[in-house]
Amino acid sequence: MAYLIALIPALGWGFMPLITGKVGGSEANQIFGIGAGASLVGLIAFLLIHPQVSMKAFLFSLLCGALWSTAQVGQFVSFKRIGVSNTVPLSTVFQLVGNSIIGVLIFGEWHSARALTIGFIALAIVIIGAMMTSFTDRSNGQNVTTKDVLFLLATTIGYWIYSSFPKMPILAHEDSVGIFLPEVLGILLGAIIYDLASGNAKAFTQKEQYTNILAGISWGIAAFAYIFAARMIGVTVAFVFTQLNVIIATFGGILVLHEHKSPRESKFTFWGIVLIVIGSIATAFA
């Protein structure tokens, strides 16, 4: 049962970009949908479980959730620029590499020589896999540019902060279920601020603003299930399971959203995904 629960985050996070791709709308519509749908899941969970959370942790989690929304906006923009099947593998690599470096430098993870060796070899495999997935056959008129990659990397900083906040001392003794609601409310708050600050107030009158809530529910269920998966089988193993989302999103982008790839691009993408999954699993042994 524990491993079945651990598959839920991979499914929810893998299907989320496919849902937003099918529903459509602007990134303003999509980030609001994620925030609103996830907040709905968080509110129901809070009412059912009644977890305890301090005001200080509530406000801090709210801020971290808002920062996450900046990263997700960047991902939605990238979906439109280079497609889901190119964005998700690159984003996965940036998150894995960034989180690993933060873990080593700030939280003292991979403290032995053996762990550092395995960890950095695994990251090298992941990076090679990402380079393969972003391979473009120029003859088809499409190209993943350096500008696209740097934009996605810059916006991924919000993900790094979001991934690190549960390890921070301020939340060390807080219930992970308790900080889930303020975290997703922060995503919704960040989405509303983005919509208003970017001059997209009209988005609140658009149908896609609310149909994208389906994607938010998918994301919220995945995030909530991850809390319990991490408790039952450990954070490291649970995180490895989440990496399966890259398979669902990448091949879903090709098959469901009909993102075009030449035969040679498809071959590079397939083996790139294989390397990303192998490298992700290998980091669990570091």
Side-chain angles (χ1 to χ4, degrees):
M1 178 61 73
Y3 290 99
L4 289 176
I5 292 175
L7 285 173
I8 294 174
L11 294 171
W13 287 331
F15 284 123
M16 183 272 287
L18 304 182
I19 295 171
T20 59
K22 276 295 186 183
V23 170
S26 65
E27 60 269 14
N29 300 140
Q30 292 167 334
I31 191 60
F32 177 85
I34 296 298
S39 293
L40 181 62
V41 174
L43 184 60
I44 293 172
F46 195 89
L47 293 174
L48 290 176
I49 299 175
H50 302 292
Q52 297 296 314
V53 58
S54 68
M55 181 56 68
K56 181 170 64 174
F58 187 98
L59 294 174
F60 186 73
S61 301
L62 194 76
L63 173 62
C64 289
L67 290 172
W68 179 92
S69 65
T70 64
Q72 189 60 47
V73 167
Q75 194 167 73
F76 284 139
V77 171
S78 295
F79 287 164
K80 291 181 171 60
R81 287 183 178 178
I82 59 176
V84 171
S85 59
N86 284 321
T87 299
V88 172
L90 287 172
S91 178
T92 298
V93 169
F94 292 154
Q95 291 178 62
L96 183 62
V97 172
N99 291 338
S100 298
I101 292 174
I102 290 171
V104 171
L105 297 180
I106 298 178
F107 299 111
E109 299 173 356
W110 297 0
H111 49 273
S112 69
R114 174 182 174 277
L116 285 169
T117 301
I118 294 174
F120 283 109
I121 289 175
L123 292 182
I125 293 172
V126 167
I127 292 170
I128 293 170
M131 292 172 64
M132 291 178 68
T133 62
S134 61
F135 169 80
T136 303
D137 186 351
R138 292 179 183 270
S139 64
N140 69 6
Q142 296 178 343
N143 190 30
V144 178
T145 67
T146 301
K147 180 180 177 181
D148 294 327
V149 174
L150 291 177
F151 172 79
L152 186 60
L153 175 60
T155 56
T156 301
I157 293 172
Y159 284 143
W160 296 343
I161 296 171
Y162 171 82
S163 298
S164 301
F165 94 91
K167 302 176 184 178
M168 295 178 184
I170 192 173
L171 299 176
H173 304 292
E174 295 290 337
D175 185 346
S176 53
V177 177
I179 63 176
F180 180 70
L181 177 60
E183 168 193 331
V184 293
L185 288 175
I187 294 173
L188 178 59
L189 177 63
I192 293 172
I193 292 173
Y194 172 79
D195 284 7
L196 296 176
S198 61
N200 284 303
K202 64 180 181 181
F204 291 97
T205 64
Q206 297 169 340
K207 180 183 71 174
E208 292 83 2
Q209 186 86 341
Y210 305 101
T211 50
N212 271 295
I213 289 176
L214 291 171
I217 292 173
S218 176
W219 189 93
I221 291 173
F224 191 62
Y226 179 74
I227 294 173
F228 292 94
R231 285 179 174 180
M232 290 187 285
I233 61 177
V235 173
T236 301
V237 177
F239 178 76
V240 168
F241 269 79
T242 68
Q243 299 312 293
L244 296 175
N245 82 86
V246 72
I247 301 174
I248 297 169
T250 301
F251 292 109
I254 297 170
L255 299 173
V256 178
L257 302 180
H258 307 295
E259 295 175 353
H260 175 72
K261 283 188 177 290
S262 69
R264 190 159 62 142
E265 286 175 336
S266 297
K267 189 178 296 184
F268 271 86
T269 296
F270 174 79
W271 289 112
I273 292 297
V274 169
L275 289 179
I276 289 173
V277 172
I278 290 173
S280 299
I281 293 173
T283 61
F285 297 94

